[in-house]
Amino acid sequence: CLECKKKVSLYSGKTVRCPHCKCNNNTELSIPNHRKNIELLVKISREHKNYTYIYEEIMKINRILEYEVTQGSVDCNKFILEISELFICYEYYELAYNWYKFLVDLSGNINAIIKLGKMYEKGYHVKQDYEEAIRLYNDVIKKGYIEGNFFLAHLYENGFGVEKDLKEANRLNKLIARQYIINKLT
């Protein structure tokens, strides 16, 4: 509790009633507080070329994140995607990969699947593997998300992992455009 300084380990980010002082306030383990801390830690760690602090900070809230993802918390999924993007920007590919994998394993998050596909496509933290990237993009398409076609079209257009096929790339891009128009009209 922020008032009485006793640990209250309820869901973070919500206002809770402290069982000790009966005061309404946010818990110390709130996700918004950690978001600010992690952004600062990423900046500091980047300057010192050491991300141990970030890892330790995230491990403090790992239990909360895991619980919230399994409960379907959209905010928590967004938070993990945000910090993973920070890790990619600062070239902490291992941490980003682990968190994307975490989201995929626990919730099947579509954005995390696409990000894992990009990591395999680019060879970030993993051996560059176009076949795995294609498999992940196809998984996204099978789940009904047409955006996976965009990433497949890029691979066909450039001949990455598949034979270069501009007709197939064009067909995939047309599917995306058609779906976009349909969504705008409805």
Side-chain angles (χ1 to χ4, degrees):
C1 172
L2 298 177
E3 295 296 318
C4 69
K5 303 298 181 204
K6 292 185 179 177
K7 190 170 184 177
V8 177
S9 60
L10 296 173
Y11 167 65
S12 61
K14 286 188 176 177
T15 301
V16 295
R17 188 158 186 86
C18 177
H20 306 289
C21 70
K22 308 296 186 219
C23 169
N24 286 335
N25 57 52
N26 286 338
T27 63
E28 288 182 348
L29 297 175
S30 71
I31 287 175
N33 289 343
H34 281 287
R35 179 179 283 123
K36 290 175 189 171
N37 290 345
I38 289 169
E39 288 172 359
L40 180 62
L41 287 169
V42 167
K43 183 178 178 183
I44 292 168
S45 297
R46 181 69 175 161
E47 291 170 2
H48 297 287
K49 307 238 184 284
N50 180 355
Y51 64 86
T52 309
Y53 297 118
I54 301 170
Y55 183 77
E56 290 170 358
E57 183 69 17
I58 290 175
M59 293 320 293
K60 288 178 188 175
I61 61 170
N62 184 51
R63 180 176 38 87
I64 294 169
L65 293 175
E66 186 174 317
Y67 174 77
E68 290 306 318
V69 168
T70 58
Q71 297 302 309
S73 169
V74 175
D75 286 339
C76 192
N77 284 341
K78 286 180 183 178
F79 174 64
I80 292 173
L81 289 169
E82 284 175 17
I83 61 172
S84 297
E85 283 298 312
L86 277 172
F87 294 146
I88 292 288
C89 290
Y90 290 114
E91 299 175 4
Y92 299 141
Y93 301 124
E94 180 182 359
L95 287 175
Y97 177 84
N98 291 338
W99 282 102
Y100 290 141
K101 190 85 170 113
F102 173 80
L103 276 181
V104 170
D105 292 344
L106 283 179
S107 68
N109 185 288
I110 297 300
N111 291 321
I113 294 171
I114 290 172
K115 297 294 185 180
L116 275 178
K118 291 305 284 179
M119 291 190 82
Y120 278 102
E121 184 182 332
K122 301 285 186 189
Y124 294 153
H125 177 65
V126 291
K127 183 180 177 197
Q128 192 172 36
D129 186 351
Y130 293 117
E131 290 177 11
E132 181 64 13
I134 291 168
R135 186 190 69 74
L136 289 166
Y137 298 150
N138 280 322
D139 283 351
V140 169
I141 294 166
K142 287 176 188 172
K143 291 182 179 191
Y145 293 87
I146 197 89
E147 294 87 358
N149 288 324
F150 173 78
F151 299 103
L152 278 178
H154 171 72
L155 295 177
Y156 277 105
E157 189 177 314
N158 295 296
F160 297 143
V162 292
E163 191 171 319
K164 189 173 184 175
D165 188 347
L166 296 179
K167 286 183 181 180
E168 180 64 12
N170 191 31
R171 183 187 74 78
L172 292 169
N173 283 323
K174 283 181 181 178
L175 284 173
I176 298 164
R178 188 176 303 126
Q179 188 64 41
Y180 178 76
I181 291 169
I182 290 170
N183 289 344
K184 283 292 186 185
L185 294 176
T186 56

